[in-house]
Amino acid sequence: MASRKSTGDGDSETEKYPETKKRVNKMRKHLDRFELENPEQKNRITKIRRHLDKLINKLEEEDEQEEVQEEIPSCYRKPDKPDVQESRYSPLARRPSSWLLYDRGNSTVDANPFRVRFLKNIAKIAIGYFNKQSPIRYSVVDMVRATQHVCAGRYFRLTFTAKPEVSEETETFEAKVCYRIGQTNVDFVKIVAT
């Protein structure tokens, strides 16, 4: 149920729509007066009040959804246009629907801790896939860079550091993970030379 802001006289409406608030208060006054004039219609009036409250809740929920939708674009930043020389080699230049989610070396990209945790969890899935095929077990240390491509799911291209259990020396990995509802597929994981 949507959160409501309470006004002093017991009514609770959103403060965003003052005209709607006036109309709702006017309807409630009419219902109160109608109930006093026709006490035998109490059940019908109660149903009308419940319906009015449902409509108010629906309006408030739509407002909350709009606020969430406004926050989403700020979470995923499209990369700046690369230079002409970089565009030839940049995977982001070939895919206009790619977003730069995280870049440790770029301070202009928002390092949201929830996003970094989410990306680390995806990196853990990738390193788990790598560990099944390798005799040395690795664990994720830190994220370096992450991009996302949306196409029948979410494709994450991750660069992260991981260290083997027997050593403190870290290796840099690159992975591509497809994340869909109900399934996660690791396309590849490899150690890259640094």
Side-chain angles (χ1 to χ4, degrees):
M1 193 172 258
S3 62
R4 297 173 147 196
K5 295 178 184 174
S6 181
T7 57
D9 57 347
D11 290 338
S12 54
E13 317 300 340
T14 58
E15 299 294 327
K16 190 173 181 179
Y17 302 102
E19 288 298 317
T20 304
K21 183 179 174 182
K22 288 178 186 176
R23 289 180 182 161
V24 167
N25 286 337
K26 190 174 182 179
M27 284 191 254
R28 286 190 172 154
K29 287 177 185 175
H30 284 303
L31 285 172
D32 290 340
R33 190 173 57 219
F34 186 70
E35 186 176 18
L36 289 173
E37 293 171 0
N38 303 308
E40 68 279 356
Q41 298 292 328
K42 185 173 184 170
N43 289 341
R44 197 174 267 182
I45 293 169
T46 304
K47 286 181 183 179
I48 294 170
R49 281 197 175 118
R50 269 190 262 143
H51 187 67
L52 182 63
D53 287 339
K54 284 180 186 178
L55 291 174
I56 292 167
N57 287 340
K58 187 176 180 181
L59 179 66
E60 289 176 347
E61 287 172 2
E62 287 174 2
D63 286 344
E64 287 178 2
Q65 287 177 350
E66 286 176 11
E67 290 172 7
V68 168
Q69 290 297 325
E70 289 171 2
E71 292 174 8
I72 288 174
S74 67
C75 291
Y76 301 108
R77 295 181 186 262
K78 286 192 175 184
D80 296 333
K81 288 188 176 182
D83 295 337
V84 176
Q85 291 176 335
E86 290 180 4
S87 66
R88 231 170 138 188
Y89 305 104
S90 172
L92 293 175
R94 291 189 302 266
R95 290 185 237 136
S97 61
S98 291
W99 284 274
L100 180 62
L101 298 178
Y102 178 76
D103 190 354
R104 184 173 62 188
N106 188 348
S107 62
T108 61
V109 177
D110 182 25
N112 182 336
F114 298 111
R115 183 183 314 143
V116 174
R117 187 177 331 139
F118 174 72
L119 293 170
K120 270 190 176 179
N121 287 338
I122 294 174
K124 287 178 184 177
I125 292 170
I127 205 71
Y129 178 82
F130 185 84
N131 285 339
K132 288 179 185 176
Q133 300 173 351
S134 171
I136 302 171
R137 316 243 351 118
Y138 287 88
S139 59
V140 176
V141 175
D142 194 19
M143 291 299 303
V144 177
R145 181 180 170 88
T147 58
Q148 170 183 282
H149 177 73
V150 179
C151 175
R154 293 164 58 181
Y155 288 89
F156 295 96
R157 185 173 287 270
L158 308 171
T159 305
F160 58 92
T161 57
K163 66 177 183 174
E165 291 178 346
V166 294
S167 172
E168 290 297 316
E169 202 172 300
T170 61
E171 299 278 348
T172 302
F173 285 80
E174 189 175 299
K176 184 177 178 186
V177 179
C178 177
Y179 183 79
R180 293 187 179 114
I181 296 174
Q183 71 181 45
T184 303
N185 297 329
V186 179
D187 289 353
F188 71 86
V189 184
K190 63 183 179 182
I191 297 175
V192 292
T194 54

